[in-house]
Amino acid sequence: MKITLFIPCFIDQFYPQVGVSVVKILEKLGHAVEYPEAQTCCGQPAFNSGLWDEARAVAEHALDVFQSAEVIVTPSGSCGAMLRVFYPQLFAGTPRYDLACAVGRKTFEFSEFLVRRLGVTDVGAEFKGRATFHDGCHGLRELGVKDEPRQLLRQVRGLELVEMDPPEVCCGFGGTFAVKFPMISTAMGEGKCQAIAGTGADYVISLDSSCLMHLQGLLARQGKNIRCLHLAEVLAQSL
Amino acid sequence: MSPNTAVQFKAQATRLAADLEHRQWIFKALRGYEAKRDECKARFQNWEGARQAAAEIKYDTLNHLDRYLEQFVHHLESRGARVHWAADARAAREIILDLARQNQVRFIIKSKSMTSEEIHLNEALEAGGFEVFESDLGEYIVQLRQEPPYHIVFPAMHLKRGQISEVFQQKLQAEPVTDPEALTMIARRVMRQKFCQADMGISGVNFGVAENGMISITENEGNARLTTALPRIHVALMGIEKLVRTMDDLALLLPMLATAGAGQWLTGYNTLYGGPRLAGESDGPEQFHVVLLDNGRTRLLADAEQRDVLHCIRCGACLNVCPIFRNVGGHTYGTTYQGPIGSVLTPHLRGLREWKHLSYASSLCGACTETCPVKIDLAHHLLHNRRNAVQAHPPFFERLAFAGFQVMMRHPALYRLGTTLARWLQPLHGLVQGTALDPARAWTRSREAPRLARESFHAWWKKHRRTTSPS
Ligand code: SF4
């Protein structure tokens, strides 16, 4: 299968190793990967700020870039949700509505793609350590991705997976929310960090680098020696 | 006036989010709720199916609201009830004040009703020279403290026993006890007298049943029964969206309300009221009035995109799971309805310009949508509110910033150039970090900033993969 990668802008700029890991894993599984170099951003920051016209302009560009893809895989639950769930809303009533829906339908979050589409739960990864998993809200509630990353992690040799209590609570990032209401965002993040620390884990793993950026920023400020990693990084570490 | 509500919200939210004690208290209370709710949900054969059915009931009722209201009113009037239509909050207050004046009422007793909070009824009645007592325990406590309810279902959930004891000592000269039972007894002693004195009882309405014109009230203390049965006049205030079609609808919605609302299988008391005391009946009020309140509801009904907000049965479940509510508390919102439903609804009831900030004070995590028993898509409504706010009152600087964002993201070359520039500038950030000049201050005050990678993914791809798989 020819897989088209969507590497969202902040992964491109801040966490390129996540993208590299995705490439390595998909290639190891025997698939051809392509990366249209004209891609930039999905438009979510503008969309979530209520600026739908600006978001649509960015999304139009993404539609141009991805329209001929067979499947689109992205290592971000949040950007995946933007394409699949919000593009149809954004283009409702416009001539590009059908295309928006089509692009949405062929978009997959990375773990979702591996497990649901490829039927792979064991990529032959090894990773030593105790880790907990953070459900990014968009992946969890907009895309319904919950078991897939856990299935993948359970097959990683050497990895001990422990669940947080409470599970499934937002980390407080929320895009521009994190800077518009920094104190609420931080309070939420602190709650999350407490839950993370409560597991005794050395690593927090997630499908969203944006959540991880927020959490890592808090953990570092608190002086906690817990590392945040994207699922793809964990799976690719031993490759 | 527009920025005031937003500025206040932000200041208050910032203060409370940093209040660890408050945070832990609310968190603990809601964890208890969650455990009970899950237990009750598990007793439904199919909770998701029940949600779907509940949503369909409300959908159908609202789609034919005119017809069902007519039916409802017809049945009520045929049993001697008087029905009043109030277009807005002021009209509703006037109707109730008039009733009190015409009947020479002196004492008024009230059972819990968020709709009465919405129209600021107590203030109006007190200004009109009437004494009003809240008969619900939590509601009575916040009334004594002269504050609004903290939560639409648990009005005094923010208070600890000691604080309740304190207010009882101050206002009621009660003895200093902190045992919940003893505290309840204090309130009950006071309340018993009020019930006997009151000549008017005001209640809210949880559901109105169209097929027989009955009013359903759900409660846990029995106070609503006394409020509506003892005084000679009963006034029920009902938002027009509270209608359901049949008793069968009610049979589904009552356990759902109890489950989602309080983590109960059914609430302690569920009573149906049908009208005044008829000849030969031994109890009930002499007069029975129903005030039907619009106050923006028909306007919302006309909004095809957001009309399902009227499905809300005010269970409070979305507040309970909302991480924002858990951290900023109910009073911070400055609204009658707090939490996600409040953030979605308030702009409709009180104006988008002044209340749009609530729609932005959300991480859009979607926990509210996931929990709502009538399947209102609250998280997406917040997004719609934001879009509407931008359309109605374009925010100049934000628009400007995102106009730049848009141009950059549509032109990959510009995007590459911009990010390269950012890489050069990044080392300079250290010079201003933490100072007023720091553009990332809102982030870095509480969090370490991430660093741009030395080489972007794009650059890596160009180096390592382009030759093998061109695009
Ligand atoms: S919006 Fe839904 S969850 Fe929130 S109070 Fe209304 S019915 Fe309950």
Side-chain angles (χ1 to χ4, degrees), chain A residues 37 40 48 165 186 221, chain B residues 31 386 409 446 448 466:
Chain A
E37 289 187 41
T40 57
N48 282 0
D165 178 41
T186 300
R221 189 59 64 89
Chain B
R31 286 289 277 178
R386 292 181 187 187
M409 293 308 182
S446 53
E448 293 300 321
R466 196 184 232 175

Side-chain angles (χ1 to χ4, degrees), chain B residues 152 312-318 341 371-374 376 378:
Chain B
I152 59 180
C312 176
I313 57 173
R314 306 279 188 266
C315 69
C318 56
I341 183 63
T371 205
C372 177
V374 289
I376 302 175
L378 292 153

Side-chain angles (χ1 to χ4, degrees), chain A residues 2 5 7-21 23-24 27 33-41 43-55 57-58 61 85-86 89 137-138 140-142 165-170 172-188 190-191 194 210 213-218 220-221, chain B residues 6 9-10 13-15 17-18 20 23-24 27 31 34 305 323-324 326-328 357 360-367 370 377 379-380 383-384 386-388 390-391 395 398-399 402-403 405-412 415-416 419-420 423 426 433 440 442-462 465-466 468-471:
Chain A
K2 176 92 157 227
L5 280 186
I7 302 298
C9 49
F10 67 92
I11 292 187
D12 180 32
Q13 295 303 323
F14 290 100
Y15 305 103
Q17 70 279 14
V18 172
V20 174
S21 303
V23 173
K24 285 190 180 156
E27 284 180 349
V33 179
E34 83 172 357
Y35 169 75
E37 289 187 41
Q39 63 181 275
T40 57
C41 169
Q44 181 164 214
F47 181 74
N48 282 0
S49 301
L51 294 135
W52 287 28
D53 290 340
E54 288 78 353
V58 176
H61 175 69
V85 180
F86 296 115
Q89 291 190 30
C137 299
H138 275 165
L140 178 68
R141 300 202 178 89
E142 302 288 358
D165 178 41
E168 296 178 19
V169 178
C170 178
F173 173 64
T176 51
F177 168 74
V179 287
K180 278 196 170 139
F181 296 95
M183 283 311 294
I184 310 178
S185 162
T186 300
M188 286 162 69
E190 282 171 0
Q194 221 172 10
S210 45
M213 171 171 80
H214 170 65
L215 288 171
Q216 188 75 76
L218 280 164
R221 189 59 64 89
Chain B
F9 175 84
K10 192 155 185 188
T14 301
R15 190 178 67 73
L20 279 180
R23 228 198 266 175
Q24 264 153 17
F27 185 77
R31 286 289 277 178
E34 268 175 18
E305 193 175 54
I324 314 297
R326 287 179 175 205
N327 281 293
V328 306
H357 59 278
Y360 285 91
S362 162
S363 63
L364 302 173
C365 75
E370 188 181 64
D377 196 344
H380 291 184
L383 277 165
H384 294 139
R386 292 181 187 187
R387 182 205 55 205
N388 297 347
V390 165
Q391 275 168 0
E398 210 172 330
R399 263 226 126 109
F402 275 108
F405 162 81
Q406 181 213 121
V407 171
M408 179 156 143
M409 293 308 182
R410 282 168 66 197
H411 298 92
Y415 165 69
R416 305 279 161 226
T419 50
T420 308
R423 264 184 192 77
Q426 183 166 257
Q433 183 159 358
W443 181 273
T444 54
R445 268 178 114 153
S446 53
R447 294 157 285 213
E448 293 300 321
R451 302 200 51 84
L452 283 162
R454 207 162 31 82
E455 176 186 74
S456 69
F457 176 80
H458 180 263
W460 176 85
W461 180 270
K462 258 168 86 166
R465 285 296 191 278
R466 196 184 232 175
T468 52
S469 95
S471 58

Side-chain angles (χ1 to χ4, degrees), chain B residues 30 143 256 267 316 380 390:
Chain B
L30 291 175
Q143 188 190 25
M256 289 196 79
T267 33
H380 291 184
V390 165

Side-chain angles (χ1 to χ4, degrees), chain B residues 30 33 112-114 117 136-139 142 149-158 206 218-221 256-264 267 312-320 325 330 336-339 341:
Chain B
L30 291 175
Y33 153 85
K112 190 175 168 342
S113 151
M114 287 313 286
E117 300 285 337
D136 173 89
L137 181 60
E139 202 68 44
V142 293
Y150 182 90
H151 180 291
I152 59 180
V153 175
F154 314 117
M157 75 174 289
H158 58 306
N206 289 100
T218 287
E219 51 155 343
N220 270 315
E221 296 166 17
M256 289 196 79
L257 173 62
T259 298
Q264 283 176 292
T267 33
C312 176
I313 57 173
R314 306 279 188 266
C315 69
C318 56
L319 282 62
N320 298 345
F325 178 89
T336 305
Y337 305 107
Q338 313 85 2
I341 183 63

